[in-house]
Every structure is written in C-alpha cells, then in structure tokens.
Amino acid sequence: MNNYSPAFHRHKSLKQEKNIMLPFSCYSPKLSLYILATCVILLMLLQIRSLHTVLPTSSSPLPSLSPSASWSLFQQWQNLVLNRTLAAASPVNCTQNPDSMNQKLRDSITFLPLKDLRFSNQPLDGHTWFMSSMYDTREEGEVQYQQFPSEPSKGRLLCLKGRDTHDGSWNYYALAWPEALPTNATLMKGLTFVSYNHYNYDNIWHGLSAVMPFVAWHRKNSCEKPTRWVLYHWGELRFKMGTWLNLLMEATFGQAPYIEEFNDVDDDQPVCFEKAVVMRHNEGGMSRESRMEVYDLMRCKARVYCNASLDRRDSDERPDIGMTLLMRSGARSFRNETAVIGVFEKECKKVKGCRLMVAYSNNLTFCQQVKQMSLTDILISPHGAQLTNMFLMDRNSSVMEFYPKGWLKLAGVGQYVYHWIASWSGMRHRGEWRDPNGESCPYSDEDHRCMSFYKNGLIGYNETHFAEWARNVLNDVQTKRFEEEGTKNGTASMKTCDCN
C-alpha cells in the first residue's frame, strides 16, 4: 500500500529546508563560529606563507615583499579581521548608549484620549470612559484609586496634554519613565490630585462625592497634602470648585486648594507629574466603616476651622435637643412655610429642652452652616443639596426628608442619595414624606417626560402626619439622650482631629 502523503512530504521537506537554512541565519551564533574558524585557517595559511617569503631575484618578474614588510602587512590584516569578526559575533550592548535608548522610550510614548468614546453608553462602568486603559488599585473596604509612579505603573509618571473645556476626547493622557519624558514636557513637582466628576463641582453633593475619596487616601497615606488639584468633568477641564466645597477642602487639608489651570503651558505641550493620585469612582469600594471615619475627619476639621464646638457638652449654646428646619427657596420649597413651621414648633414645645431653629441654606455662609449643624440633633428639610450638610451633625443624629409629587415613580435611584449619605456618615434617616398633590402632567403618570413637571415642584403639608412623625422622632431622641446620660456613654466626644 502506498503511504505517500503530499502534505506529509511537503511538511518534512520544509522542516529539512528550515534545518539546513538555520545555521546561515544572520542572527545565528553558528554563523559567527564558522566565520571565526575560517579566519583562523586563513591566518595560519598566511603565517606559513610569510615564513617562506624570499627576497626577489633578478629573474623574478614581480618584486616580492621583504619578510619584515610581509609580517607587518600580515599583522594589520590579522587585527582588522579579528576586530570585525568579534564585532559581528558579539551581542549588542544596549547600555553603551543610554541617550539613544531614552530617545526610543520617549518616541514610544502614546497619548490616548481622556474620554474614550467607545464607552459612551456605559461611562461609569468598569474602567469608565475616563482613562479607560488604566486599572484601579483596590484594597478591601478602601477607596479605589490610581497612583503614579507605582508598581502597577512600572515606575512611570502620569502625563497629560490638552486644555479643552468642551470635549474631553481632545484632552490626552500617557505614562512615561522619569528619565524619558515626552519632548518639551513640563514636570510639575509635588503631589497632584486628579479628580473625575461625572456631574459638577458646584453642587455640594456631587462635588463632595468627587473629592471625598481624596480625603480617604490622604488619611491612609500619612496625611499627605496635595500641591495642586486637576479637575475633570467628562474629560473636560474645570477650573473651580463651588465655594462650600472649596472651604471644606481648605478646612480638611489646612490649605486652600490650588486648582491647576495650566496657564503657562501650550495646548499641545505635555505636563507630567512627579506624583499623582487619580480618582474616578467616588466612594466606590469603601466600606461603611471607612466612609464614617472619613466623614468624621471632615466634620472635625470643619468645626475646628469654623470655631464650632467639637463636643456638645462643651457648648453653652447647644440645647438638649436641637431641631432645625433647613428651608429652601424656589424649587422644592414648602408651599406654606408658616404652616409647616407651626406644626414642628408645636411638637418641639412639648419636649423639655427642645429648641426649633429655622434656617435658609442659601442665606448661610459655610461656617454658619457648620455651626448650625453642630447644634442640630434632628434635621428637617426638603430633598436637595442642602441636606449634604447632615454629616456635619454629631453621629446618630436624625434626618427627615420631603419630596414633591411624582418623584417616587420617575426620579430613579438618585432620589435616595440622602438615605445613603445618612448611612455612610453615621446618621439615622427617619424616612420621608411624599406629597400626593401637585402640578398635573399632560402625559401618563409613568411617562418620563412628566419628571420635568415634577422635579422642581412645591411641597405641601399634612398637619396630622407631620405632627405624629415629629412626635415619634422627638420621643426616640429624648429616650436615647436619657440612656446616654444614665450610662455616661454618650456620643463619643471629639477633642482632636485625625491628621493634625
């Protein structure tokens, strides 16, 4: 039977051909050995020839070299052949030209868009669309972050390029080794905080969510302070924080935040940072205990900054039970403020030591808000950014929240943010009241277009419900206060802050 197989024969022939050709590959070590052996043989032949060289005779048609001249020529040729042979046989030594290697590293740097449009449909998932090629450092129960230089970055620095404030895909990032920074790059010394915010830095809730993880990193890293901040929204540069947020960061870090604007840098000129920390997931990954510790630090620092008492027992101004109605003006304000104030005032008067305080968030400075919260045990307020102030109260204080009509069905999961911050900062969210009445929507109740009618609606009141609700919360707070005084184990007092 004929076992001939064309495929097998072709494979075997190719393999044989490969084995035959391999020694003559320009990069094969065997070639160097062949060349060296050939040269040695030639040298031996030439040496024998030189020993037999004689002086020219009259009958010689061509003049012959003298033995000394022949030997000199032989030595020159020998040195030339040996040098070239050894050079060809020796491996390339990259360390002989570090400047050339650094230039190659410099030329290999690739800048990528800060905003990766491939992930525009899921901008906050996974790596996010901000610096999408980077991995975060994750530690159990702690904030997710990126640090440069670091072991994950293989010792490389973070470099940025572009100053666009309208399209983040026109701003870029890259990593570079310290000895091979991009051409014309500016190196900025010190620690740089690079913040990504999917919303904005003016709203105190969204702004706090973006900067809070930097406070967590600061607390875990020997309280190291930033030299500058670089702020991004969707990859677009931002050059300021809201006043409330700016002052909170000044209180926390002991210095006003310097927001980098890159005024001395051309649009296409790279900027690299000696040390940089990047946050893009807000508090994502943090345990409740870790969050509470960070909020404790910011609360303590804010009270010190504003000369508010760290311990309720040291304050002559503080009532036994402080109840604050933190009002809004305009959107989501109470339709009948006088009636609402009257309900809570009546219930507060029934409890010994209770004091009702009415304040408008838009009329208070940052420090006035800090001091007001230090006197508050029960915070009563419509849904809105002003509720972010709740973490400035003592731990285990209470929050009562109010919504206009239509929010439950249409506002989405974001309507619960103040439930979350209450839990994260150690407060007790006592529930909410949702107004069943309000402006009518021309569409069906579940049509998302109705949210534009309901979002900024005014909030009514229900005297019976409000009175019972306030009574239950006041009684619970009063009972807890008696228990604390009886056991002398009240809310842990703060005498000093972390990171002093």
Side-chain angles (χ1 to χ4, degrees), residues 211-322:
V211 302
M212 184 264 199
F214 290 102
V215 181
W217 184 92
H218 159 78
R219 184 175 172 273
K220 286 290 185 179
N221 288 270
S222 304
C223 302
E224 188 174 358
K225 299 179 181 181
T227 303
R228 68 188 61 80
W229 295 69
V230 180
L231 307 181
Y232 285 105
H233 161 73
W234 290 16
E236 306 159 8
L237 273 171
R238 294 292 181 264
F239 301 129
K240 68 181 184 68
M241 298 177 180
T243 302
W244 183 94
L245 185 62
N246 194 287
L247 291 172
L248 178 63
M249 291 300 96
E250 180 176 342
T252 301
F253 291 103
Q255 59 189 30
Y258 174 75
I259 313 300
E260 184 60 62
E261 298 184 18
F262 304 108
N263 288 327
D264 299 327
V265 178
D266 294 335
D267 289 349
D268 60 347
Q269 182 181 354
V271 174
C272 301
F273 304 99
E274 181 181 34
K275 184 176 183 179
V277 174
V278 180
M279 301 288 181
R280 56 182 181 176
H281 286 289
N282 295 349
E283 301 103 327
M286 294 184 71
S287 66
R288 181 171 180 261
E289 186 62 33
S290 294
R291 297 176 204 233
M292 286 195 292
E293 290 172 352
V294 175
Y295 280 112
D296 285 347
L297 172 60
M298 291 191 291
R299 177 190 309 116
C300 185
K301 291 286 191 176
R303 289 188 181 183
V304 170
Y305 180 83
C306 295
N307 294 316
S309 174
L310 296 181
D311 187 345
R312 61 178 296 126
R313 291 167 293 191
D314 294 337
S315 175
D316 296 331
E317 301 178 47
R318 180 152 189 161
D320 290 341
I321 299 177

Side-chain angles (χ1 to χ4, degrees), residues 2-30:
N2 186 4
N3 293 326
Y4 175 79
S5 170
F8 174 80
H9 181 74
R10 184 164 57 253
H11 173 75
K12 184 176 181 181
S13 299
L14 289 172
K15 185 176 180 181
Q16 291 173 345
E17 181 177 292
K18 180 179 178 182
N19 291 336
I20 293 172
M21 295 300 292
L22 185 59
F24 296 97
S25 167
C26 2
Y27 300 102
S28 170
K30 291 183 179 181

Side-chain angles (χ1 to χ4, degrees), residues 108-138:
S108 70
I109 296 171
T110 301
F111 279 89
L112 301 174
L114 276 173
K115 182 174 74 174
D116 191 339
L117 296 177
R118 295 175 301 171
F119 303 107
S120 59
N121 293 330
Q122 47 184 13
L124 298 180
D125 294 343
H127 291 185
T128 79
W129 65 349
F130 182 79
M131 295 177 60
S132 63
S133 69
M134 298 287 101
Y135 288 88
D136 292 308
T137 296
R138 299 169 181 261

